[in-house]
């Protein structure tokens, strides 16, 4: 996932927050790797979707208190799939 892909998904057409967005994108990769293991398939579309979802959540919920303390349930289910469906796995198809 590139910064431009992320900005397209978030419908951001300026460069004002590029540094912040890139840091969120980098952090999302670490977050997913920590949650799924170092052998997570970073080339799958599911991985890209997880990155967009987590960055969107962090971007839209910047406040220190309130609704940002819990990730949406559907994000957790995607992390679970990424954790168990590795690249080359014959039991499930990674997209």
């Amino acid at each position: 996932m590139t910064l431009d892909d992320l900005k397209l998904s978030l419908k951001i057409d300026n460069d004002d927050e590029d540094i912040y967005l890139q840091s969120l994108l980098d952090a999302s990769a670490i977050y997913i790797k920590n949650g799924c293991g170092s052998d997570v398939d970073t080339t799958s579309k599911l991985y890209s979707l997880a990155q967009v979802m987590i960055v969107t959540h962090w971007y839209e919920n910047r406040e220190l208190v309130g609704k940002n303390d819990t990730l949406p349930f559907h994000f957790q289910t995607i992390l679970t799939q990424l954790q168990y469906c590795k690249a080359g796995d014959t039991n499930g198809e990674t997209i």
Side-chain angles (χ1 to χ4, degrees):
M1 161 105 9
T2 66
L3 179 60
D4 288 334
D5 294 336
L6 178 63
K7 288 171 64 175
L8 184 64
S9 177
L10 291 170
K11 297 181 179 9
I12 296 173
D13 60 1
N14 60 57
D15 299 334
D16 297 345
E17 296 186 290
D18 280 5
I19 293 171
Y20 178 62
L21 289 170
Q22 186 62 55
S23 70
L24 291 178
L25 192 58
D26 295 343
S28 73
I30 295 167
Y31 185 92
I32 295 168
K33 185 179 278 191
N34 286 343
C36 299
S38 60
D39 58 345
V40 65
D41 182 6
T42 59
T43 63
S44 76
K45 291 180 182 179
L46 196 57
Y47 180 88
S48 296
L49 176 61
Q51 279 196 292
V52 168
M53 290 173 64
I54 190 66
V55 170
T56 299
H57 181 76
W58 289 340
Y59 182 75
E60 292 178 349
N61 299 284
R62 298 188 216 190
E63 61 270 358
L64 294 176
V65 294
K67 63 182 178 180
N68 68 344
D69 59 347
T70 306
L71 289 172
F73 176 75
H74 57 275
F75 180 72
Q76 186 59 42
T77 61
I78 289 174
L79 281 183
T80 300
Q81 288 188 25
L82 284 169
Q83 183 177 8
Y84 292 107
C85 297
K86 305 299 182 189
D89 187 0
T90 59
N91 294 329
E93 184 176 334
T94 54
I95 52 174

